Amino acid sequence: MCPDTGLARLSYGQACALLDEHTALRGPGTGWDLHEYRHSALTHLGEQGASPLMLMVKSRHKKPENVRRYFKLSPEAIAEVTSLLAPGDSRR
């Protein structure tokens, strides 16, 4: 039971069945599974600039190398780091 709503929670199997039912393109068993959905969510967060630490908190990964694949630097962040190495930069 959900402590906030008092409603029964879905089991893992029920959640898998619902996700498959609503994402299947070629019949039952062809939709997303929960593991793919989790990876997709982390990828989107990484693309939007979430830090590796935030991805670890959200995904409950214990090791930074496990979330590295989701961490995508924005072009702005890459330009900022590159500017630190630019000739004539007084911050070197």
Side-chain angles (χ1 to χ4, degrees):
M1 300 296 283
C2 174
D4 296 326
T5 65
L7 299 173
R9 291 184 179 180
L10 293 175
S11 69
Y12 188 85
Q14 290 169 319
C16 285
L18 282 172
L19 185 60
D20 180 62
E21 177 184 335
H22 291 281
T23 59
L25 298 176
R26 295 177 304 275
T30 64
W32 285 22
D33 64 27
L34 288 176
H35 194 76
E36 288 173 329
Y37 190 67
R38 178 180 188 220
H39 283 285
S40 177
L42 292 174
T43 299
H44 289 298
L45 288 172
E47 288 171 347
Q48 293 174 7
S51 71
L53 180 59
M54 292 305 292
L55 293 176
M56 287 177 64
V57 169
K58 182 68 177 167
S59 66
R60 298 186 181 144
H61 282 102
K62 303 291 185 233
K63 299 178 183 176
E65 58 265 20
N66 293 337
V67 296
R68 187 177 302 143
R69 68 184 348 183
Y70 308 111
F71 184 62
K72 309 282 192 253
L73 286 174
S74 68
E76 294 83 16
I78 293 170
E80 181 180 340
V81 169
T82 303
S83 74
L84 296 174
L85 302 173
D89 188 351
S90 62
R91 294 178 287 179
R92 288 199 286 166

